[in-house]
Amino acid sequence: MSTLHRSKKSQARPVRKGLHPRNLHNQGYDFPALVKSHPALAPHVKPNAHGDLSIDFADPLAVKTLNAALLNRYYNIVDWDIPEGALCPPIPGRADYIHYMADLPGLEQHSIKLLDIGTGANGIYPLLACQIYGWQCVGSDINAQSLANVATIIANNPTLKDRFTLRTQHDKNHIFEGIIQAGEFFDVSVCNPPFHASLDEALKGSQLKLNNLARSRGERKAKTKSPTLNFGGLEAELWCKGGERLFLKKLVRESQVYSTQCRWFTSLVSKADNVKPVKKLIRKLGAVDIREIEMKQGNKITRVLAWTFI
């Protein structure tokens, strides 16, 4: 069991940003402490327009270095890195997802087995689940380059070796098939689905994010000549034919096939308009419990859908 595990009965610190009570990032970023544990972050830390220490969240290298510092200081993960262009996840939000999964009925015990669908080059959900709760994790992906990068992270952190394994999805038309093996049982599956229907849509979404960041700094518009994926994202990580809704419907339909081999199926849903039709399909396919979990960080609200046939 990881020493970082926090008992659910332990007293939570005061919540300021709306994160889960057990989330270690409720008080924001302690930049001096992060720089001390990860000196590579130092060049990226500067006072912002409000006089507070921060980084330029529109700078991919700064965001990646902040992630490496957070994983080092709070989760004892060293040498975390991702290839250029890979999706760079916000650690506090990803930790929130794992904490809320730990609250689902039947997941109170310690010997939990988690499946991450589309673990990407960052492997973030299994990394956090292993370090926070000591869970056994499997990460699957269709991209060999992504899996090779996560394998390097695991090799750099020997305590993960027996707790985090990787599997390749060889068929882009399947999600669980070819990954969940005969006679195997998972307690929970997690997923951060591709939310755009095309590269063009992904670039437009990234430009909007950059403009929002610029406005928060007091600028009218982001200073970029062409749209860039500032938080990264390889093809399978950011877009797929039909976008998020079609992917989620495929995920739900295939979950029914493996209904006796996983207690809770879950997924992030980034577009609020997709929640209602996806819940309707889950009900139609016979799930006995459906939960819509709201996660808040500052003004941002994201949702997780969780359903079970057991």
Side-chain angles (χ1 to χ4, degrees), residues 92-118:
R94 297 305 187 247
D96 243 32
Y97 191 164
I98 296 300
H99 286 303
Y100 278 107
M101 294 306 92
D103 290 340
L104 287 170
L107 270 66
E108 299 89 353
Q109 69 269 30
H110 299 325
S111 55
I112 295 297
K113 193 170 180 184
L114 174 145
L115 171 62
D116 181 19
I117 295 296

Side-chain angles (χ1 to χ4, degrees), residues 269-288:
V269 183
S270 69
K271 297 181 180 178
D273 290 349
N274 291 338
V275 172
K276 195 173 177 181
V278 173
K279 281 173 82 171
K280 185 179 177 183
L281 178 61
I282 294 170
R283 261 193 296 272
K284 183 182 171 186
L285 292 175
V288 296

Side-chain angles (χ1 to χ4, degrees), residues 49 64 104 150 198 258 294:
K64 183 172 85 165
L104 287 170
V150 181
S198 65
Y258 291 87
E294 252 189 21

Side-chain angles (χ1 to χ4, degrees), residues 21-53:
R22 293 193 302 278
N23 197 312
L24 297 177
H25 311 291
N26 264 314
Q27 302 303 307
Y29 299 125
D30 182 346
F31 283 105
L34 288 168
V35 167
K36 189 176 179 182
S37 64
H38 193 71
L41 182 63
H44 300 287
V45 178
K46 300 178 179 74
N48 61 17
H50 308 289
D52 302 316
L53 288 178

Side-chain angles (χ1 to χ4, degrees), residues 34 45 59 72 143 158 166 174 194 198 211 225 265 282 292:
L34 288 168
V45 178
D59 177 357
N72 187 338
N143 187 306
L166 299 169
H174 288 296
S198 65
N211 289 341
K225 292 179 182 177
F265 296 92
I282 294 170
E292 182 182 341

Side-chain angles (χ1 to χ4, degrees), residues 193-212:
F195 40 85
H196 297 297
S198 65
L199 171 60
D200 185 53
E201 190 182 302
L203 287 169
K204 284 177 182 172
S206 188
Q207 187 62 54
L208 183 65
K209 193 182 286 185
L210 283 167
N211 289 341
N212 288 338

